[in-house]
């Protein structure tokens, strides 16, 4: 039995949702979704209230998803304007710059309304309007949030491209969605270094229509090329623009944004989210999963280029009138205490980050945490991949001091908001388990081969969803066939997450990783996450990635890429010790056949390991690595190829 960690009695007494309420609300959400979401749809302001709630079909060939379809609204008015009367002076966004010596900025709801309206007027003056696509290629600066909300205000559709992506990745996205404009900055400071965003944009625009306009935020003041007639100085134009810009009325099902998935599994897809259902779902999950209360300071460390930044830096918190932090920097600059310094400085109450960041900081030692006063923290969150128990315990002990509930939130770009997560007042945490479905989410575990629904509580298989929820993506931009093919073809009648999972005897869900990452060793199927967790539990290991490779006898062998802690010597002795360690932790079947020392692992900008690339290298087929344009640091791949272990 896994140990469980309930919140304190005091936390539970103050929580929005306790265990009994969760049971009752969950039952209501699945027995009568129309009634449930009609009620919760009221948490946002509608211009014309909806009369229809749910109209969805998961049948392959006919997949169609609509929520609140006859309602109209404006998303920016919901995130900004409606708060001005009641909390105009309250800080909406705290901006924490890359360099801690630069003062932080506090932007009130009243100021946010003015800035967003000015930018919206700048866009409008350039002929941008409802339904037009605008690419946002900005660092983590307030202008990124202004640009998102300015698009929403005029009914334009934004698509954010990570500021770390290459000109190629940017050009592909501009062209795929037929964007009329891109907004970028001169340069982007990050971890003390600067990315030349404008120059990347210039390169990208060589491969795009010459009609694409280029808005430039002069952020650092660094010198850039300037193309007269195309480049537009946004800040200067905003200074002259009016703060009056009436929000455009849009339909609930009009697209709010397109976001290309990070690409850890292949050609990026333009995930389309619409306005009404997405906003209801983002707002509701932000409030309930994090047990956010009025006046709390909420910090999600993601980048706005990732869906987590969309839902939990901008749309969810602002729809709820929250104070949200936007951080320009990285966890390790100027030192490994930066996250905790920022938590102490802004008295953060809820802190939400990814296991990859936790593991990186864990590798630097607890002294970096202990230097800072973290007494304001009430809750911690995790997202992006399964959190291994080792990292969970470290997070709980050193950051949460054993008193903050931890929510492990499983969700996807496609789902708009949390799908499987504890609600802190209702669900005791279990290290490594995402635990329970959010309201309205009907999970099923299917046998991967027969597609049979597993009816026993304790079960293992692929994770599917039986019916729609308001935050669900509606289509792949310009390719509804691909949408149906990717998510609804393999297991008919269900939305297929692509992830494997285990449901334990308590009915808690454990995500075991992408189905593509399951390996089959001598007829035993296992998730690579399990082997990785075992490796990371060894004191010398900071990070590990495991993939399968063709093996004459076993069918598939286990190939482990291991990053050691600072100051640990990579030796053959240690290799042997790690193999022995995994044997005792899991069993002989899981012992790695090959271990490669990896100074770095190929990751997406959101910190996810690109196992697709690691599989190719393990297969000694490194010539065709596919799209690597979304890698955070493409140079790590060269080292991995050079030192590959399987040369057969
Ligand atoms: P792509 O779809 O382009 O390959 P991606 O799947 O990495 O990229 P995201 O939508 O950001 O892009 O990530 C969703 C995936 O991340 C999930 O399908 C799951 O594999 C993993 N994931 C996210 N949160 C969790 C979590 N709390 N526990 C386990 N896995 C998680
Ligand atoms: Mg995915």
């Amino acid at each position: 039995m896994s140990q469980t960690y309930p919140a304190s009695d005091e936390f539970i007494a103050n929580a929005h949702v306790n265990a009994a309420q969760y049971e009752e609300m969950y039952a209501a959400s699945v027995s009568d979704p129309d009634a449930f979401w009609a009620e919760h749809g009221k948490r946002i302001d509608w211009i014309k209230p909806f009369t229809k709630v749910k109209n969805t079909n998961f049948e392959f060939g006919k997949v169609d998803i609509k929520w609140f379809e006859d309602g109209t609204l404006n998303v920016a008015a919901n995130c900004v304007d409606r708060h001005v009367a009641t909390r105009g002076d309250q800080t909406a966004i705290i901006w924490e710059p890359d360099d801690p010596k630069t003062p932080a900025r506090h932007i009130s709801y009243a100021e946010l309304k003015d800035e967003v309206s000015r930018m919206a007027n700048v866009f409008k003056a350039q002929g941008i309007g409802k339904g037009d696509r605008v690419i946002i290629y900005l660092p983590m600066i307030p202008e990124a949030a202004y640009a998102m909300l300015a698009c929403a205000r005029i009914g334009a559709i934004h698509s954010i491209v990570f500021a770390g992506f290459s000109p190629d990745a940017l050009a592909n996205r501009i062209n795929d969605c037929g964007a009329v404009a891109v907004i970028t900055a001169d340069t982007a400071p990050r971890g003390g270094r600067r990315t030349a965003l404008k120059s990347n944009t210039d390169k990208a625009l060589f491969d795009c229509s010459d009609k694409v306009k280029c808005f430039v935020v002069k952020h650092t003041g660094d010198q850039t090329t300037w193309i007269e007639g195309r480049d537009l100085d946004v800040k200067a134009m905003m200074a002259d623009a009016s703060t009056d810009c009436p929000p455009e009325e849009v339909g609930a099902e009009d697209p709010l944004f397109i976001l290309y998935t990070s690409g850890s599994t292949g050609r990026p897809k333009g995930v389309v989210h619409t306005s009404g259902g997405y906003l209801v779902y983002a707002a509701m999950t932000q409030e309930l999963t994090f047990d956010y209360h009025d006046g709390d300071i909420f910090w999600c460390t993601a980048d706005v280029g990732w869906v987590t930044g969309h839902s939990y830096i901008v749309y969810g918190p602002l729809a709820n009138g929250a104070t949200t932090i936007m951080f320009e920097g990285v966890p390790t600059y100027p030192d490994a205490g930066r996250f905790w310094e920022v938590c102490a400085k802004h008295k953060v109450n809820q802190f939400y980050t990814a296991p990859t960041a936790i593991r990186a900081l864990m590798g630097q030692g607890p002294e970096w945490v202990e230097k800072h006063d973290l007494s304001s923290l009430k809750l911690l969150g995790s997202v992006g991949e399964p959190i291994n128990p080792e990292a969970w315990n470290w997070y709980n002990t050193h950051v949460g001091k054993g008193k903050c509930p931890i929510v492990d939130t499983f969700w996807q770009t496609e789902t708009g908001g949390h799908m499987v997560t504890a609600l802190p007042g209702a669900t005791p945490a279990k290290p490594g388990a995402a635990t329970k479905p959010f309201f309205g989410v009907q999970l099923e575990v299917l046998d991967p081969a027969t597609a049979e629904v597993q009816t026993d509580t304790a079960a293992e298989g692929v994770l599917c969803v039986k019916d729609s929820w308001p935050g669900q993506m509606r289509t792949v931009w310009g390719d509804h066939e691909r949408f149906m093919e990717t998510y609804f073809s393999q297991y008919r009648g269900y939305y297929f997450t692509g992830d494997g999972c285990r449901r334990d005897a308590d009915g808690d869900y454990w995500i075991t990783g992408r189905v593509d990452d399951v390996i089959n060793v001598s007829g035993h199927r296992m998730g690579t996450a399990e082997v990785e967790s075992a490796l990371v539990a060894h004191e010398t290991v900071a990070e590990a990635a495991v993939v399968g490779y063709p093996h004459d006898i076993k069918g598939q062998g286990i190939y482990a890429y291991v990053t050691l802690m600072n100051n640990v010597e990579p030796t053959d002795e240690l290799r042997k010790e790690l193999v022995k360690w995994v044997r005792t932790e899991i069993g002989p079947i899981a012992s790695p056949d090959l271990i490669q020392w990896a100074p770095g692992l190929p990751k997406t900008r959101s910190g996810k390991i690109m196992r697709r690339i690691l599989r190719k290298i393990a297969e000694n087929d490194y010539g065709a690595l596919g799209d690597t344009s979304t890698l955070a640091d493409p140079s790590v791949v060269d080292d991995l190829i050079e030192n590959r272990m399987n040369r057969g």
Side-chain angles (χ1 to χ4, degrees):
M1 258 347 277
S2 317
Q3 198 177 344
T4 56
Y5 296 78
S8 67
D9 293 344
E10 194 196 339
F11 190 103
I12 293 171
N14 289 318
H16 289 301
V17 180
N18 64 29
Q21 289 163 326
Y22 171 77
E23 293 300 334
E24 191 186 317
M25 284 172 74
Y26 183 79
S29 75
V30 301
S31 67
D32 190 350
D34 274 296
F36 183 86
W37 290 110
E39 182 57 31
H40 291 281
K42 291 185 199 143
R43 66 162 41 244
I44 64 170
D45 288 352
W46 298 85
I47 297 172
K48 182 161 118 353
F50 54 85
T51 63
K52 292 188 194 153
V53 181
K54 180 174 181 291
N55 180 6
T56 66
N57 186 353
F58 276 12
E59 188 186 335
F60 182 71
K62 297 186 184 155
V63 179
D64 190 25
I65 296 153
K66 294 194 188 85
W67 284 90
F68 312 115
E69 60 189 289
D70 62 349
T72 66
L73 75 161
N74 182 277
V75 171
N78 269 286
C79 292
V80 186
D81 304 39
R82 69 166 172 160
H83 305 306
V84 171
T86 49
R87 52 176 95 233
D89 294 335
Q90 184 202 303
T91 300
I93 299 175
I94 299 176
W95 180 64
E96 174 68 26
D98 185 51
D99 181 349
K101 294 195 285 295
T102 308
R105 279 172 54 194
H106 290 71
I107 299 145
S108 70
Y109 273 98
E111 286 169 276
L112 185 61
K113 177 167 181 280
D114 288 351
E115 299 291 355
V116 169
S117 301
R118 285 178 197 275
M119 199 183 277
N121 278 327
V122 168
F123 288 167
K124 261 168 104 169
Q126 295 300 315
I128 300 172
K130 200 168 179 173
D132 287 335
R133 276 81 62 204
V134 175
I135 296 278
I136 300 176
Y137 184 58
L138 284 172
M140 288 286 288
I141 55 177
E143 284 78 5
Y146 303 163
M148 294 165 79
L149 294 163
C151 286
R153 194 168 194 90
I154 61 175
I157 305 166
H158 63 73
S159 183
I160 306 191
V161 176
F162 272 129
F165 282 1
S166 64
D168 260 6
L170 177 60
N172 288 340
R173 287 156 175 73
I174 294 171
N175 292 331
D176 186 84
C177 70
V180 297
V182 45
I183 174 165
T184 189
D186 40 16
T187 58
R190 206 159 173 272
R193 281 180 288 181
R194 289 191 179 185
T195 310
L197 287 189
K198 171 61 165 62
S199 118
N200 283 352
T201 308
D202 288 339
K203 286 187 198 123
L205 288 174
F206 275 128
D207 298 322
C208 304
S209 152
D210 57 13
K211 294 206 178 65
V212 179
K213 294 191 187 327
C214 181
F215 294 96
V216 184
V217 177
K218 292 189 174 170
H219 173 49
T220 56
D222 286 344
Q223 188 83 35
T224 63
T225 49
W226 199 263
I227 298 177
E228 281 307 327
R230 186 198 72 186
D231 296 345
L232 302 156
D233 179 344
V234 198
K235 278 192 181 169
M237 293 164 89
M238 282 171 74
D240 295 335
S242 158
T243 56
D244 182 32
C245 178
E248 183 81 25
E249 179 173 359
V250 306
E253 285 301 333
D254 284 339
L256 175 62
F257 65 85
I258 304 167
L259 183 60
Y260 290 85
T261 52
S262 60
S264 45
T265 51
R267 182 164 63 97
K269 298 176 276 285
V271 169
V272 176
H273 282 288
T274 56
S275 302
Y278 169 80
L279 193 65
V280 167
Y281 201 73
M284 187 164 168
T285 47
Q286 194 268 338
E287 182 181 28
L288 301 187
T289 302
F290 302 111
D291 199 46
Y292 183 88
H293 289 261
D294 231 14
D296 284 347
I297 311 289
F298 181 77
W299 186 15
C300 163
T301 70
D303 193 289
V304 288
W306 187 22
V307 72
T308 308
H310 286 63
S311 299
Y312 301 113
I313 295 176
V314 178
Y315 290 117
L318 296 180
N320 290 331
T323 299
T324 182
I325 297 190
M326 218 174 157
F327 175 45
E328 188 182 31
V330 298
T332 47
Y333 176 80
D335 61 46
R338 185 68 191 277
F339 268 2
W340 323 122
E341 185 226 316
V342 174
C343 282
K345 178 171 165 190
H346 297 300
K347 304 205 163 32
V348 170
N349 301 115
Q350 291 91 6
F351 177 76
Y352 188 35
T353 198
T356 176
I358 299 168
R359 284 192 301 268
L361 296 174
M362 184 169 85
Q364 305 288 321
E367 56 275 20
W368 293 103
V369 192
E370 264 123 45
K371 273 188 205 163
H372 302 279
D373 174 10
L374 297 182
S375 57
S376 60
L377 289 175
K378 297 198 281 195
L379 172 135
L380 304 175
S382 172
V383 60
E385 56 178 316
I387 175 163
N388 31 330
E390 189 73 6
W392 195 99
N393 285 323
W394 188 87
Y395 200 26
N396 182 45
T397 308
H398 296 288
V399 182
K401 318 290 180 201
K403 68 172 180 57
C404 298
I406 298 182
V407 289
D408 177 1
T409 62
F410 166 81
W411 63 296
Q412 310 175 299
T413 310
E414 295 88 338
T415 70
H418 304 145
M419 295 296 277
V420 190
T421 178
L423 298 189
T427 331
K430 245 183 217 179
T435 71
K436 294 283 197 277
F438 192 76
F439 301 121
V441 175
Q442 303 188 49
L443 304 174
E444 293 286 6
V445 179
L446 267 58
D447 182 281
T450 64
E452 221 168 297
V453 174
Q454 305 295 293
T455 49
D456 290 346
T457 305
E460 191 150 359
V462 293
L463 184 63
C464 291
V465 190
K466 199 162 82 179
D467 204 352
S468 185
W469 63 98
Q472 184 172 25
M473 76 183 279
R474 304 302 197 249
T475 192
V476 170
W477 181 260
D479 198 349
H480 199 65
E481 286 300 315
R482 188 171 178 206
F483 175 57
M484 291 193 282
E485 195 54 47
T486 310
Y487 305 103
F488 299 92
S489 66
Q490 232 166 316
Y491 301 98
R492 296 292 162 108
Y494 296 91
Y495 167 80
F496 173 40
T497 60
D499 287 295
C501 89
R502 181 162 68 80
R503 187 168 55 209
D504 68 19
D506 302 329
D508 284 323
Y509 290 81
W510 301 68
I511 309 302
T512 51
R514 290 163 210 282
V515 173
D516 299 346
D517 292 339
V518 169
I519 46 183
N520 193 326
V521 182
S522 309
H524 297 266
R525 291 168 57 83
M526 70 185 104
T528 51
E530 205 181 350
V531 187
E532 288 165 6
S533 272
L535 283 164
V536 174
H538 192 274
E539 57 180 11
T540 61
V541 177
E543 191 148 49
V546 166
V547 297
Y549 73 103
H551 190 285
D552 287 345
I553 299 151
K554 304 181 185 178
Q556 270 190 309
I558 298 180
Y559 192 121
Y561 297 85
V562 170
T563 307
L564 295 172
M565 294 280 189
N566 274 349
N567 311 323
V568 176
E569 267 307 299
T571 61
D572 282 342
E573 254 65 274
L574 183 54
R575 258 202 195 99
K576 282 184 205 135
E577 189 183 320
L578 290 179
V579 171
K580 209 168 111 203
W581 171 264
V582 176
R583 285 176 82 94
T584 41
E585 289 280 297
I586 309 178
I589 191 71
S591 32
D593 297 277
L594 296 171
I595 294 180
Q596 174 171 352
W597 305 125
L601 293 168
K603 288 188 187 163
T604 64
R605 279 275 302 217
S606 58
K608 278 202 231 177
I609 297 170
M610 278 215 198
R611 288 191 185 68
R612 171 170 67 79
I613 291 175
L614 295 176
R615 261 194 303 270
K616 288 274 183 195
I617 299 174
E619 288 163 5
N620 200 25
D621 177 22
Y622 53 88
L625 293 179
D627 182 11
T628 54
S629 64
T630 59
L631 277 178
D633 175 10
S635 70
V636 302
V637 173
D638 301 332
D639 176 88
L640 295 177
I641 292 174
E642 199 174 306
N643 296 302
R644 68 195 185 279
M645 304 288 291
N646 171 22
R647 295 175 185 253

